[in-house]
Amino acid sequence: MAIELTQKPTILTGDRTTGPLHLGHYVGSLRNRVALQHTHRQFLLLADAQALTDNAHNPERVRRNIVEVALDYLAVGIDPTVTTICVQSCLPALAELSQLYLNFVTVARLERNPTIKDEIQARDFGRDIPAGFLCYPVAQAADITGFKATLVPVGEDQAPLIEQTNEIVRRLNRQIGRQVLLEATALIPRVGRLPGVDGKAKMSKSQGNAIPLSASAEEIAAAVRRMYTDPNHLRASDPGTVEGNVVFTYLDAFDDDREAVEDLKAQYRRGGLGDMALKRRLETILQVLLAPIRERRQALARQSSDVLDILREGTRRARGKTQATLDELRDGLGLFAFRE
Ligand code: TRP
């Protein structure tokens, strides 16, 4: 019991391995993960199996990006001596948990999940939705509960998935008659979702409106230059609109001097503050943030066998943890135990 009380709470979160991570991931979740890794027991999942649910035709892309995302983690300051980084598809217990959980969720409930609805629309599946895609929230519930995580740092688009996870948790615990699985809380950042540089609601690589964490100094400069502001703010002396102005949204997310940002907003609204000056401030902040990340990433990429060692060791540790949860659950459900 004493051990229980002193144990750190567990974090599990992850990313699909479909491409390198960008500033949206940084604001949405990476920043929280770096901050929390010393006070929590943290597992990060390279979600290659989830990535396959809409990339079955392109497994090479999914495989290649395992290392790219791992490099992003390490470059932003994830410390592999305190955070366990692991590869989803190499953890068979998660697949077994998913299979069990699928019986505790209805197809109608899956189709109602707002995140899934949005994603299905964005992907133009039409009537050809891969079954694995529709069911990935169940696999994500397996990810979270398999590690007995109680905290999940994610962007706000993931909130419905945590809700669905907790429904599954309650159903299984009720079926078993005791609390084997734990409910989890989503940790969603204060600033909400970071828009793309073009002002579109979501920053995403496929939309071409993202700033990757590995962006060069020139790419950062170019992205800020083309950033959407107030299209009616033609002269510096004109009054301008702050709402929906991407430069201000980014300053809210990255500028630590909150008071200065509020002053700038007031000045912009009054007139007398030009887009150029505003963008210069943001560009400096982003350059200072991203330069060390980029440099660390380049250095780590030269030692890719070290990165693979980190993933191998992390996956080994995660295998024990997730297998223990599966065993407990099988036992709770009274499944037959010829396993060896
Ligand atoms: N759905 C997440 C994303 O698209 C990735 C993910 C997979 C995840 N498993 C998870 C996030 C478990 C949090 C917890 O980026």
Side-chain angles (χ1 to χ4, degrees), residues 12-16 45 47 50 136 140 143-144 152 154 158:
L12 178 281
T13 186
D15 299 275
R16 290 180 195 160
L45 199 58
Q50 189 177 111
Y136 92 68
Q140 189 154 326
D143 298 341
I144 295 166
V152 188
V154 279
Q158 298 284 302

Side-chain angles (χ1 to χ4, degrees), residues 249-297:
T249 311
Y250 279 50
L251 286 173
D252 280 336
F254 297 105
D255 194 331
D256 293 327
D257 191 344
R258 315 237 34 92
E259 214 174 305
V261 174
E262 290 313 311
D263 287 348
L264 288 171
K265 286 181 184 171
Q267 199 187 344
Y268 196 82
R269 288 192 175 105
R270 265 196 318 269
L273 175 60
D275 283 359
M276 283 287 279
L278 198 61
K279 286 185 169 182
R280 251 196 315 274
R281 180 182 178 98
L282 177 64
E283 195 204 322
T284 305
I285 291 170
L286 294 182
Q287 297 287 10
V288 168
L289 173 73
L290 291 176
I293 294 176
R294 178 174 60 240
E295 279 154 28
R296 260 199 308 266
R297 201 180 190 289

Side-chain angles (χ1 to χ4, degrees), residues 6 23 31 91 98 152 160 166 205-206 234 254 256 299 326-327:
T6 52
L23 278 180
R31 210 158 44 172
L91 298 169
S98 304
V152 188
N166 289 337
K205 188 170 137 75
S206 59
L234 300 175
F254 297 105
D256 293 327
L326 176 64
D327 290 345

